[in-house]
Amino acid sequence: MGAFFVLFFLFRMSGVKMTEGSVQVEGCKAPLFYRQSEPATGEVKMSVLLLHGIRFSSENWLNIGTLETLAKAGCRAVAIDLPGLGRSKSAEAPAPVGELAPAGFLKEVCEQLSLSPVVVISPSLSGMYSLPFLFQHQALIRAYVPVAPICTDKFTAEQYQSVKVPSLIVYGDQDTQLGEVSLSNLSNLANHSVVLHLYKRMERHGLVPRKEGAKLPTHAQTFTPTHIQGIKQNQTRNK
């Protein structure tokens, strides 16, 4: 506990207020742990919900500086540990891994933490939570940032086209499986942009596990509809 207060003091000195807490969500049987950052002074511009993949937790968003960076930019950022992971290991997941969780799960999290409307950042495993929330509660979401989330194949092109939430799809240059599948499906979102993020940069930001021999990044590239169509055609040929 002493170390936490030292950390809290240091972040306050840098203009950031950093706290920890827990939230009880119906059906989880145990609380969900979360880390929160916000500006130490001044008005909060927007709320951001940071989710994570199966090998990660809210601690990664702390260690790579994302929580601090968002707070310095005027955001209130909340990184939760999803059920069964991180410091939420005792919490029971509302659905098996790879199946869609009830849309009400993240809705309840956001309501209890007063996050709406919220920017949702959703890598990998967290797609099973974020996608149902996106489809059923658009009014609660300010923007959606998927990073190769799972479960994108569980919705039709027509369902994606019905979503009007501004979305920024992050695609890794070395993710030739889940990344391509999710990009192809998510590109049906009505209001989206796509950014190619080179693997080493994603690795540095904690969005993917470390991988030996990855190329060093030189830039990020915005994908055009032609790029996306090419990926879809490759997938069709490989079936």
Side-chain angles (χ1 to χ4, degrees), residues 3 9 12 21 39 45 52 71 74 79 114-115 124 142 145 157 167 171 186 192 209 213 224:
F9 174 76
R12 283 300 293 263
K45 298 177 182 177
H52 62 83
S114 301
L115 289 174
S124 191
R142 183 167 184 166
V145 185
S167 302
Y171 173 72
L186 291 167
H192 78 274
T224 67

Side-chain angles (χ1 to χ4, degrees), residues 76-228:
R76 178 187 171 214
V78 175
I80 68 169
D81 284 359
L82 292 169
L85 301 170
R87 289 168 65 177
S88 299
K89 287 189 184 298
S90 298
E92 186 174 305
V97 172
E99 298 297 326
L100 295 174
F105 176 82
L106 284 185
K107 178 177 183 287
E108 186 175 351
V109 169
C110 290
E111 287 176 346
Q112 291 204 37
L113 296 175
S114 301
L115 289 174
S116 302
V118 66
V119 177
V120 179
I121 300 180
S122 178
S124 191
L125 170 80
S126 66
M128 63 180 281
Y129 296 95
S130 67
L131 285 166
F133 183 50
L134 174 69
F135 281 99
Q136 295 188 37
H137 299 291
Q138 294 187 50
L140 303 181
I141 304 176
R142 183 167 184 166
Y144 183 55
V145 185
V147 187
I150 67 172
C151 295
T152 61
D153 57 344
K154 297 184 182 297
F155 302 91
T156 65
E158 290 74 20
Q159 286 176 300
Y160 281 108
Q161 289 162 8
S162 71
V163 175
K164 309 304 180 186
V165 174
S167 302
L168 179 65
I169 304 167
V170 180
Y171 173 72
D173 70 318
Q174 295 187 29
D175 194 345
T176 57
Q177 297 178 5
L178 179 59
E180 288 190 357
V181 171
S182 63
L183 173 61
S184 178
N185 292 324
L186 291 167
S187 65
N188 289 302
L189 288 165
N191 185 12
H192 78 274
S193 299
V194 183
V195 170
L196 170 65
H197 217 322
L198 299 192
Y199 197 97
K200 269 292 185 182
R201 187 174 295 174
M202 295 179 75
E203 179 182 277
R204 197 160 59 236
H205 288 297
L207 294 175
V208 295
R210 291 200 169 275
K211 181 176 179 179
E212 295 299 325
K215 299 175 183 177
L216 290 173
T218 55
H219 64 288
Q221 173 185 338
T222 300
F223 265 46
T224 67
T226 302
H227 287 122
I228 297 169

